[in-house]
Amino acid sequence: MTTASKLTIARVLLIPVFMAVYLLDQHWVALAVFIVASVTDLADGYIARHYDQVSDFGKFLDPLADKLLVFSAMLIFVQWGRMPSWAVMVILTRELAVSGLRMVAASKGQVLAAGWSGKIKTAATMAGLCVMMAFPGYAWLDIAATWVMVLTTIYSGVEYFVQNWKCLGLGKG
């Protein structure tokens, strides 16, 4: 097993730790675990590409681990009334739609690379969740962070579909 894959597995294993400590009101510990897990995402991607450790296992688990980490935090915020469920649904819909488009492309032998707006969306989401964890009790920060996450998600999703519409066979694009 590659180093990159081990880091991805570590991220998956950190998710229940993150949720447990956060639900036990250990906010600073949870924030630290979330940041460590987020950094493993950067590290495993860098290691996989730089040291030629890209694998099918990593291609499968890495994006899944990212989504599980993000949605675990969002679900806690929904449970605590700090994030509206509609916002999580918008973000979840984008993730599922992009994953579906990638599957269609893969079935045609095409690989759809992530664009810069997707990277910005990911960074904005991770930063927004960290801000919400670091500053509980500031409703205006929760609202601002949620809107940044939703708007970057919508923008990146629309851009992704506009650039890759032809994969669905619905016209030129």
Side-chain angles (χ1 to χ4, degrees), residues 17-86:
V17 174
F18 160 73
M19 290 188 79
V21 295
Y22 207 20
L23 289 169
L24 292 171
D25 287 331
Q26 301 297 313
H27 296 168
W28 290 109
V29 175
L31 177 58
V33 172
F34 186 86
I35 290 170
V36 168
S38 298
V39 168
T40 67
D41 181 32
L42 295 173
D44 69 17
Y46 174 80
I47 290 169
R49 286 184 297 278
H50 193 267
Y51 295 102
D52 195 29
Q53 294 185 6
V54 175
S55 68
D56 289 338
F57 177 76
K59 289 177 191 177
F60 164 74
L61 191 59
D62 180 65
L64 180 61
D66 298 344
K67 289 164 186 51
L68 291 173
L69 177 63
V70 165
F71 287 111
S72 67
M74 288 181 180
L75 288 173
I76 291 172
F77 289 135
V78 168
Q79 179 177 334
W80 288 348
R82 294 184 57 199
M83 183 178 236
S85 58
W86 67 261

Side-chain angles (χ1 to χ4, degrees), residues 109-165:
Q110 301 171 357
V111 176
L112 304 181
W116 277 104
S117 67
K119 295 177 189 309
I120 291 168
K121 180 264 313 171
T122 299
T125 299
M126 295 305 208
L129 293 171
C130 286
V131 165
M132 291 174 73
M133 284 181 243
F135 301 101
Y138 292 92
W140 68 272
L141 272 177
D142 291 349
I143 293 167
T146 297
W147 275 106
V148 167
M149 288 184 261
V150 166
L151 292 175
T152 57
T153 294
I154 291 170
Y155 179 84
S156 69
V158 168
E159 180 184 73
Y160 199 81
F161 270 84
V162 166
Q163 290 176 351
N164 298 292
W165 192 249

